[in-house]
Amino acid sequence: MSQSSRQLSLGAFLMATGHHVAAWRHPDVPADPLDFSVYRRAAQVAEAACFDALFVADSVAVFDDKVASHTSRSTYFEPLTLLSALAAITERIGLVGTATTTYNEPYHVARKFASLDHLSGGRCGWNLVTSDAAAEAQNFGRDEHLGHAERYVRAREFHRVVTGLWDSWADDAFLRDKASGRFYDPDKLHVLDHRGEHFQVRGPLNVARSPQGRPVVVQAGSSEAGRELAAETAEMVFTAQASLESAKTFYADLKGRLGRFGRDENALRIMPGVFVVAGQSESEAKEKFEAFQELVEPQVGVALLGRMLGNFDLSEYPLDGPLPELPLTDSGQRSRQQLLTELAGAESLTLGQLGRRIAGGRGHYSLIGTPRQIADTLQAWFEERAADGFNVLVPHLPGGLEDFAALVVPELQRRGLFRREYRGRTLREHLGLARPNNPFFA
């Protein structure tokens, strides 16, 4: 794809009430994370703006630390249930949901995402994560979370099983021939019969091959292990990068690994997260942001920080002191720990200041300004090969996404950087990804 013909991709990251940790307290924000009308409105706004996909994260635990009762992060929809509902009220936008490889079984994941791909007409994506919330372990028969290295070994085998199950049937296996009585051709059925270190799965999957061949595989890990897994398996990567230079380095590194796995660089879309607050003027955007910042309780910001650093309890450290030296996390995101530690040092932030600093974007790059200012930065990252697109985080839903769609998207379209209408119907078509062949029926 030539530089002149490239257009960026946009994902709408739907976090309950919004990404800002204090969003639920704002007078203009619906405070119930289970209010479906908020998600319905957000999905319709994003689709009208021609976003590539909606993105829904997940954790299979309640965060019940000392200040959890002061956040809105303890009740939210299960992603595939929510996305199935949104599939019924949308027609084109992609639907990316999160499912962990640490506390699931491959057959369940393969079946659910294949089903959603059929329900949506080929708009489904699976965000493969290994779980960075240590509390999840105790909901699945374990006292402690699996270690970082073991989680990635399991994830690689998990992916291999899921994709094998998705290829259980040839595309034309189902005859549905009423006259002959043949519902499917048995010669076009493949039994996986996988036996590995972590899983034994016979198969086949009891869902036909999906409209996209396979749902799009997304990954959000940026550690060394995460990059290797992404280079081998992912078709879209969601990453947190603190600067243009770090994003360019990450982009070049990850794209450079693809050849070792026989993959072309266009087989993977890299989409950094950007936390965006848009206003008609810079002062208006800053006022919007400060309205949320003023609602942040210091201990809530620090609790969020401890979670993002890798599941550390920072409640006993002084707010006006420096970020304490912490061991390398074995249960959380190592890449995010490095990013936030470097941020604290670069800006000489106290613990309390760092907690407040990440209350909106959680370490993702923040853009607070006019449509032109925001578009200038997105264009620079895109054209300087730091990104193929962006996963857009807004402080509150649905208002923050409405602002982005009304103000920033038209500016990107005016510059020829983003589509004015959908040209395809599947998520793969939106992203420019090829439909995978079935290796068992070449």
Side-chain angles (χ1 to χ4, degrees):
M1 187 180 294
S2 68
Q3 179 76 16
S4 61
S5 66
R6 288 176 76 224
Q7 284 196 320
L8 58 80
S9 296
L10 290 176
F13 191 157
L14 305 185
M15 177 75 79
T17 72
H19 278 274
H20 199 285
V21 73
W24 72 276
R25 300 184 64 198
H26 194 285
D28 296 336
V29 177
D32 184 2
L34 300 180
D35 182 350
F36 178 69
S37 68
V38 174
Y39 293 96
R40 179 174 59 220
R41 174 63 181 160
Q44 291 169 340
V45 167
E47 184 167 64
C50 297
F51 272 63
D52 293 64
L54 306 173
F55 182 93
V56 180
D58 193 33
S59 179
V60 285
V62 167
F63 300 111
D64 54 357
D65 58 30
K66 297 175 183 177
V67 298
S69 62
H70 287 239
T71 74
S72 63
R73 302 296 194 237
S74 295
T75 177
Y76 40 84
F77 286 113
E78 185 280 318
L80 287 178
T81 307
L82 174 60
L83 291 172
S84 294
L86 294 176
I89 55 131
T90 56
E91 295 182 354
R92 295 292 188 90
I93 196 164
L95 307 162
V96 178
T98 299
T100 175
T101 57
T102 303
Y103 302 115
N104 270 306
E105 290 293 323
Y107 198 96
H108 285 141
V109 167
R111 188 184 188 208
K112 292 173 182 177
F113 281 90
S115 295
L116 180 56
D117 208 43
H118 280 282
L119 284 172
S120 64
R123 296 186 282 138
C124 176
W126 168 35
N127 180 38
L128 183 164
V129 300
T130 65
S131 288
D132 65 358
E136 295 183 13
Q138 295 175 40
N139 292 331
F140 294 89
R142 295 185 58 87
D143 292 325
E144 295 183 352
H145 196 27
L146 291 181
H148 189 271
E150 185 178 357
R151 295 202 308 274
Y152 276 94
V153 170
R154 178 185 168 98
R156 182 169 277 101
E157 184 181 347
F158 195 111
H159 171 270
R160 190 162 60 249
V161 176
V162 167
T163 54
L165 289 170
W166 281 339
D167 291 334
S168 293
W169 304 89
D171 288 313
D172 58 351
F174 288 90
L175 307 172
R176 304 180 188 90
D177 187 336
K178 295 183 180 182
S180 69
R182 296 181 74 209
F183 191 74
Y184 70 84
D185 182 347
D187 291 334
K188 296 184 176 182
L189 168 63
H190 175 76
V191 177
L192 185 63
D193 199 22
H194 174 88
R195 294 177 179 272
E197 179 182 353
H198 293 277
F199 306 107
Q200 293 188 22
V201 182
R202 179 181 183 274
L205 191 65
N206 59 353
V207 181
R209 200 161 194 254
S210 73
Q212 295 186 102
R214 300 173 188 165
V216 174
V217 176
V218 184
Q219 197 194 332
S222 299
S223 65
E224 176 61 27
R227 295 184 196 203
E228 275 295 285
L229 183 63
E232 182 179 356
T233 66
E235 296 166 292
M236 182 197 302
V237 165
F238 175 38
T239 178
Q241 298 297 326
S243 68
L244 172 61
E245 289 307 312
S246 69
K248 288 169 65 175
T249 299
F250 177 84
Y251 186 98
D253 177 77
L254 189 50
K255 293 276 187 173
R257 297 176 189 233
L258 296 175
R260 289 195 284 106
F261 299 100
R263 305 180 68 197
D264 181 85
E265 74 163 30
N266 292 322
L268 173 66
R269 302 283 280 180
I270 297 176
M271 296 177 62
V274 286
F275 176 76
V276 180
V277 183
Q280 294 285 3
S281 66
E282 186 174 356
S283 61
E284 181 188 54
K286 289 180 177 178
E287 286 174 7
K288 288 181 180 180
F289 179 60
E290 284 305 317
F292 290 100
Q293 289 292 86
E294 290 172 1
L295 299 173
V296 179
E297 297 177 76
Q299 292 297 346
V300 169
V302 170
L304 174 66
L305 175 62
R307 163 83 176 81
M308 300 308 301
L309 283 166
N311 304 299
F312 293 103
D313 181 2
L314 304 177
S315 61
E316 300 302 318
Y317 293 94
L319 292 173
D320 58 357
L323 177 69
E325 291 190 17
L326 300 170
L328 182 66
T329 180
D330 197 40
S331 64
Q333 294 184 49
R334 291 182 175 177
S335 57
R336 193 66 58 91
Q337 183 183 32
Q338 179 181 351
L339 184 153
L340 295 177
T341 302
E342 291 175 353
L343 176 63
E347 299 188 11
S348 301
L349 299 174
T350 66
L351 186 65
Q353 289 171 335
L354 184 58
R356 194 171 189 270
R357 175 82 156 71
I358 70 162
R362 304 191 317 282
H364 290 280
Y365 196 77
S366 294
L367 293 171
I368 301 167
T370 66
R372 182 174 180 178
Q373 290 171 328
I374 293 167
D376 282 347
T377 299
L378 299 183
Q379 182 172 3
W381 281 45
F382 179 62
E383 291 183 347
E384 294 188 38
R385 299 284 177 169
D388 294 313
F390 302 91
N391 214 2
V392 178
L393 293 66
V394 294
H396 64 302
L397 290 176
L401 193 59
E402 291 172 337
D403 288 345
F404 187 92
L407 299 174
V408 181
V409 169
E411 179 64 20
L412 294 172
Q413 292 170 332
R414 186 186 67 78
R415 301 180 187 203
L417 293 169
F418 190 62
R419 67 172 71 86
R420 294 181 181 272
E421 60 183 7
Y422 291 110
R423 292 184 174 85
R425 301 201 70 89
T426 70
L427 178 55
R428 288 186 177 279
E429 289 172 326
H430 301 340
L431 296 170
L433 297 173
R435 188 179 191 275
N437 295 321
N438 190 329
F440 304 123
F441 301 98

